[in-house]
Amino acid sequence: QVQLVESGGGLVQAGGSLRLSCAASGFIPNINAMGWYRQAPGKQRELVGDITTGGSTNYADSVKGRFTISRDSAKNTVYLQMNSLKPEDTAVYYCNLKRKIIASLVNYWGQGTQVTVSS
């Protein structure tokens, strides 16, 4: 069973930085990508960014140049470095792992960690 454990959320002033971590437990074959989504109150969950096993990264336009995703493959851990935070970055951030099973991609989710940016 895949478990994703997140840490690093909190309250920060606008312009500040936070670093989120997400560790996937156990032996997990066929990982396609790991990444982060976020959901603000009253809004749909949206992709923040992800990183494939090959190291390719993908970011939402709203965070490009401010957020950086990195990964420690040996530890099945993904990080999200968030700089120049804005109040609109306030949301619950969810770790995501995509695993290829036969011809499908299966999503696994962490429990979420709150990020609050004050103005």
Side-chain angles (χ1 to χ4, degrees):
Q1 184 176 359
V2 176
Q3 287 189 320
L4 304 177
V5 179
E6 301 141 336
S7 60
L11 173 65
V12 65
Q13 289 188 332
S17 298
L18 281 175
R19 187 188 193 216
L20 306 183
S21 300
C22 172
S25 63
F27 171 66
I28 308 170
N30 302 322
I31 294 176
N32 177 270
M34 293 184 71
W36 296 89
Y37 287 68
R38 67 186 181 186
Q39 188 167 17
K43 295 188 176 181
Q44 289 188 331
R45 190 172 297 190
E46 62 177 3
L47 173 71
V48 176
D50 59 19
I51 182 167
T52 68
T53 52
S56 298
T57 55
N58 176 45
Y59 296 96
D61 287 343
S62 59
V63 306
K64 283 180 181 177
R66 300 188 297 122
F67 290 10
T68 302
I69 286 180
S70 60
R71 180 176 173 180
D72 185 336
S73 297
K75 297 180 179 179
N76 279 344
T77 299
V78 64
Y79 306 95
L80 180 66
Q81 179 65 44
M82 304 185 290
N83 298 327
S84 302
L85 282 160
K86 303 175 182 179
E88 51 263 44
D89 295 317
T90 295
V92 178
Y93 284 68
Y94 295 92
C95 180
N96 172 264
L97 182 150
K98 289 181 171 59
R99 185 181 167 200
K100 189 171 184 180
I101 299 179
I102 308 178
S104 299
L105 281 180
V106 178
N107 285 291
Y108 299 88
W109 298 96
Q111 79 282 1
T113 185
Q114 178 70 45
V115 171
T116 302
V117 184
S118 63
S119 57

